[in-house]
Amino acid sequence: MTRIIKIGGFSHVKQLKIGGNEPIAIQTMWKETLTSDSLENAARKIETLEKMGCDLLRFAVPDIMSADLLGNLSNMVSMPLVADIHFDYKIALRCMDYPIAKIRINPGNIGGKDKVRAVLEKASEKGIPIRIGVNAGSLPADLRKRVDEGLEVSEALAEAAEREIEVFNEFGFDNFLVSMKSCTIADNIKVLRFFTKKHSDIPLHVGVTEAGPLAAGVARNSAVLVTLLTEGIGDTVRVSISDTMESEIIAAREIIRAADGLTEKNDRLKCKGVNIVSCPRCGRYGFDTHAFTENWLSKLYAMDKEITVAVMGCEVNGPAEAKNADIGITGAGDKVLIFKHGQIIKTCSPDEADVIFEEELNKI
């Protein structure tokens, strides 16, 4: 079992526990550039992401000005925020002057031991954990050369992580997590299985880097994450895709839900919230499932309800096939049917559907 890492829990920032028997934490990464004018909107967006199930939010911090902007934002929100640092250790030091909850560094480019030591000393003083983040695309130069000469990427990833762990151990710093990511499914699974056998106590951040656009990215992440989570490997996940933060959070929730369905009772894989089922739509449809689902997706995933919602295209896939849903909606000719547990409770026009659906949803 991995050790528990505590993230946040100081000032106004919520505390998140990762590792041990704690539930798998979901995280995503901010996809825009912060500016002084955007902080209030960012704070509101973060509140929405939190309601949807995001536990931890990471920001790229390329310079000192970005560190100050993120620091100001961290004073405005309660969700733990993570600073992603490359190249300049001084940026990490500056971030830790604020209530930023975690630092991510890359061993391939942060600098020599003296710079790492400075970061660790301040993190230790502040009680801030660090993620050792190793990516196949930014390995140390000697390991990149050895990969070109035939070393397996998974072995290179593990060795890069091992080097940084040795430095952390040398300075007596154990408040850390590790990630080792590749864009290749097999490499991700192989390196994490190997690493877990040797370091069963170190919490792991798992996911696929550069996974691609929505459909491809979700497919590749699912192949990796379901495999690892059902084996008990992984403590926090990020579904990295070329799409919105909301999509990353929804995908992570559903991947965890899928892993839970493939294992015996496991509190780590519990994913609370609304479960949405919907048909893909065909030429028989009497209700636009695509438009309705798109409109309601973020709202439903932000609800604190343990229910199943069905969005079906016609009477064939309507109440009968979705009879186990707590609430559902489908089309029948020029009418829309709203049902609960397979029983039709309301019939309305398409123009009234959103309002009546919301009324019935709120009754549950």
Side-chain angles (χ1 to χ4, degrees), residues 277 310-312 317-328 339 341-342:
V277 296
V311 183
M312 315 306 276
N317 287 329
E321 288 196 23
K323 63 183 179 181
N324 293 324
D326 297 279
I327 186 171
F339 56 91
H341 299 288

Side-chain angles (χ1 to χ4, degrees), residues 285-302:
Y285 81 94
F287 181 66
D288 192 347
T289 57
H290 294 187
F292 186 87
T293 303
E294 183 178 354
N295 180 48
W296 276 88
L297 198 62
S298 295
K299 301 174 192 176
L300 290 171
Y301 274 97

Side-chain angles (χ1 to χ4, degrees), residues 286-288 292 311-313 315 319 328-339 344-354 356-357:
F287 181 66
D288 192 347
F292 186 87
V311 183
M312 315 306 276
E315 291 175 285
I329 187 167
T330 190
D334 60 352
K335 296 294 183 182
V336 172
L337 310 179
I338 296 173
F339 56 91
I344 298 169
I345 58 168
K346 289 286 176 69
T347 301
C348 64
S349 70
D351 291 340
E352 301 171 301
D354 281 302
I356 294 177
F357 177 80

Side-chain angles (χ1 to χ4, degrees), residues 205-312:
H205 166 128
V206 295
V208 180
T209 190
E210 301 157 5
L214 182 60
V218 171
R220 291 164 185 158
N221 273 282
S222 296
V224 171
L225 294 177
V226 170
T227 299
L228 294 172
L229 292 175
T230 54
E231 294 178 9
I233 299 172
D235 300 283
T236 178
V237 302
R238 186 225 171 164
V239 176
S240 175
I241 50 178
S242 302
D243 207 272
T244 65
M245 293 180 287
E246 290 87 347
S247 291
E248 291 195 354
I249 295 164
I250 290 169
R253 283 178 57 169
E254 293 303 332
I255 289 170
I256 294 170
R257 195 191 301 272
D260 182 39
L262 294 172
T263 61
E264 296 182 359
K265 180 176 170 55
N266 186 337
D267 290 338
R268 297 178 72 243
L269 297 177
K270 290 302 176 188
C271 193
K272 298 179 180 179
V274 173
N275 179 36
I276 303 171
V277 296
S278 62
C279 73
R281 202 177 77 183
C282 67
R284 202 172 41 231
Y285 81 94
F287 181 66
D288 192 347
T289 57
H290 294 187
F292 186 87
T293 303
E294 183 178 354
N295 180 48
W296 276 88
L297 198 62
S298 295
K299 301 174 192 176
L300 290 171
Y301 274 97
M303 287 183 170
D304 187 19
K305 293 178 182 286
E306 298 290 317
I307 60 172
T308 295
V309 176
V311 183
M312 315 306 276

Side-chain angles (χ1 to χ4, degrees), residues 167-201:
V167 175
F168 280 33
N169 288 339
E170 180 181 333
F171 297 132
F173 188 88
D174 63 359
N175 191 18
F176 66 88
L177 304 85
V178 172
S179 68
M180 294 157 288
K181 295 183 181 181
S182 166
C183 59
T184 304
I185 291 171
D187 287 332
N188 280 281
I189 294 172
K190 191 180 296 185
V191 68
L192 287 164
R193 282 175 171 166
F194 172 78
F195 186 87
T196 299
K197 288 180 181 178
K198 187 172 182 180
H199 299 285
S200 60
D201 64 319

